[in-house]
Amino acid sequence: MAMRISNKILEGLIKQANRELSASADYLSMSLWFADRELPGSAAWCRAHSEEERNHGLKIFDHITKRRAKGALVQPIDHAAKFNFGQPVDVWKFALANEQTNSSAILSLVKQARDENDFVTENFMQWYVQEQLEEETAVMEILENAKRVAETNGLYVAYDTQIVTKPH
Ligand code: FEO
């Protein structure tokens, strides 16, 4: 009984797993953008976060497998067009917008699971609900600091050295 899963929820979980992998690719590209501009602190944070996002995706695929549901597939997205940033603050704005979109998708999936009385999926997704709060908070803090640096004509390169120690 616990394994039972509707096609709609399965499709939602597969989409969410792919969103996480897409977020992983985005953070890796952000990391490369920062590395190109000799900003190793920001590059390291994004690289570590890329790994986290990958694990979020894998965790969902593992859950699908555990429920003996079939048809999960990795569906790569073309990211190249998105990385046309001018300033570091643009990158962090992009990251926050992505996290907010991801939170909405997760909350929709939880709602859908609740509507279907799929308590297993609802319970599984609770981890992601909490994680999104942590991630939105972490990225928002970095973005706010980066904005302040820009507004006060500070040196982002000095702030960059602190970013490695920031939470994820
Ligand atoms: Fe796993 Fe940042 O969402």
Side-chain angles (χ1 to χ4, degrees):
M1 282 292 276
M3 277 187 197
R4 184 186 295 162
I5 187 166
S6 74
N7 286 340
K8 210 170 159 191
I9 294 284
L10 175 59
E11 191 188 315
L13 285 171
I14 294 170
K15 265 195 187 141
Q16 188 54 39
N18 277 288
R19 262 187 220 106
E20 302 287 346
L21 294 185
S22 168
S24 173
D26 280 344
Y27 277 109
L28 186 54
S29 291
M30 289 180 233
S31 175
L32 295 169
W33 188 93
F34 282 118
D36 279 353
R37 284 151 189 86
E38 310 292 338
L39 295 166
S42 304
W45 194 95
C46 289
R47 170 97 174 217
H49 205 80
S50 168
E51 277 304 304
E52 285 201 10
E53 299 294 6
R54 181 171 188 273
N55 288 331
H56 297 170
L58 295 184
K59 197 174 152 103
I60 296 174
F61 284 130
D62 287 346
H63 181 78
I64 291 171
T65 302
K66 194 180 280 181
R67 293 175 80 176
R68 298 291 188 273
K70 313 293 181 202
L73 199 64
V74 175
Q75 293 152 327
I77 295 171
D78 181 8
H79 298 261
K82 297 193 219 165
F83 292 89
N84 218 355
F85 304 117
Q87 300 298 324
V89 79
D90 301 330
V91 184
W92 296 114
K93 272 185 196 161
F94 172 79
L96 182 61
N98 271 359
E99 292 297 352
Q100 289 168 337
T101 303
N102 197 34
S103 297
S104 298
I106 285 167
L107 294 176
S108 298
L109 195 49
V110 171
K111 169 86 170 55
Q112 196 183 335
R114 186 170 293 180
D115 289 347
E116 287 193 24
N117 290 336
D118 180 344
F119 305 116
V120 176
T121 299
E122 187 185 341
N123 184 56
F124 171 69
M125 289 306 296
Q126 288 307 320
W127 183 89
Y128 289 83
V129 172
Q130 186 59 34
E131 178 65 13
Q132 280 311 114
L133 178 59
E134 308 298 337
E135 296 196 0
E136 281 190 34
T137 303
V139 175
M140 189 174 282
E141 189 198 317
I142 296 176
L143 171 60
E144 288 306 318
N145 288 338
K147 274 190 198 162
R148 201 167 311 133
V149 169
E151 282 159 12
T152 57
N153 291 324
L155 286 178
Y156 185 89
V157 71
Y159 175 53
D160 181 71
T161 59
Q162 298 170 34
I163 290 185
V164 203
T165 60
K166 298 278 180 199
H168 285 261

